[in-house]
Amino acid sequence: MIAPPAPRRAAPGGGLAVLVVVTILAALAAPHATAVRGLVIGGPPAISAPTPLNPPPTSRPPRGLTFTDGAGCRPAGDYRSPRLDRRVRRLLVAAAGQYRIRVSCLRTGHSWFVKGTQRVSNHSRWRAVDLDRVDGHPVSPANAAARRLAVWIGRGQAGVQPSEVGSPWRFGGRPWFSDAGHQGHLHVGFPGPTQPGEAG
């Protein structure tokens, strides 16, 4: 009687080889496996530098724009806030490209109401700015650069149109106005709603 042949024993490592083949096939079939297919089928994939993300907007003030706490406000910190109305920031950047200007007030430290009234100030809503110096000199009826800047701002030449431009001069008609409280600074305010969220 002829004995049946002995059962064949799996070669050492055979199960591991099957596992490797199955893993490679699964990787090649995956929708995100372009790099793996290129490595197995056509050689190593091309290496490229990652696409840089857009840099976040900066809140660094432009050259020509400075701040003072002399009026009891803290405008430098307010300028960095994302709550500041984007129109105010755009105005300051544009004006600083034309003149040397100093900000004396944005929001912090300003009264909540317009002086002598119960109207909430645009400063309190982050949509107004006061400038106390233009081209190195205090704002006053004698400062011709400040006068030109007030006209320029009121005409919307900064790319934004304010609803309030207070100054020592009476230009006649909105947005310009003048009173006893605006003989020493330029006030620029914008209508609501506030448009926050832009830095730099």
Side-chain angles (χ1 to χ4, degrees), residues 145-167:
R147 187 181 192 280
R148 290 193 301 270
L149 178 58
V151 172
W152 185 82
I153 289 172
R155 288 177 175 167
Q157 291 178 285
V160 286
Q161 181 60 60
S163 56
E164 305 167 350
V165 181
S167 77

Side-chain angles (χ1 to χ4, degrees), residues 75-145:
D78 289 344
Y79 184 80
R80 294 190 294 269
S81 173
R83 298 177 69 185
L84 182 63
D85 192 296
R86 67 188 67 186
R87 295 167 295 181
V88 173
R89 191 181 306 280
R90 184 170 178 182
L91 167 73
L92 292 175
V93 170
Q98 303 288 326
Y99 301 87
R100 287 178 293 119
I101 58 175
R102 188 171 79 172
V103 176
S104 56
C105 204
L106 284 168
R107 181 183 186 273
T108 305
H110 196 278
S111 59
W112 184 257
F113 296 108
V114 175
K115 187 175 180 178
T117 76
Q118 291 298 304
R119 287 187 295 113
V120 176
S121 169
N122 278 324
H123 286 279
S124 303
R125 303 296 190 191
W126 293 91
R127 55 179 186 250
V129 58
D130 289 345
L131 307 175
D132 73 336
R133 293 180 78 89
V134 177
D135 278 357
H137 300 287
V139 172
S140 75
N143 188 334

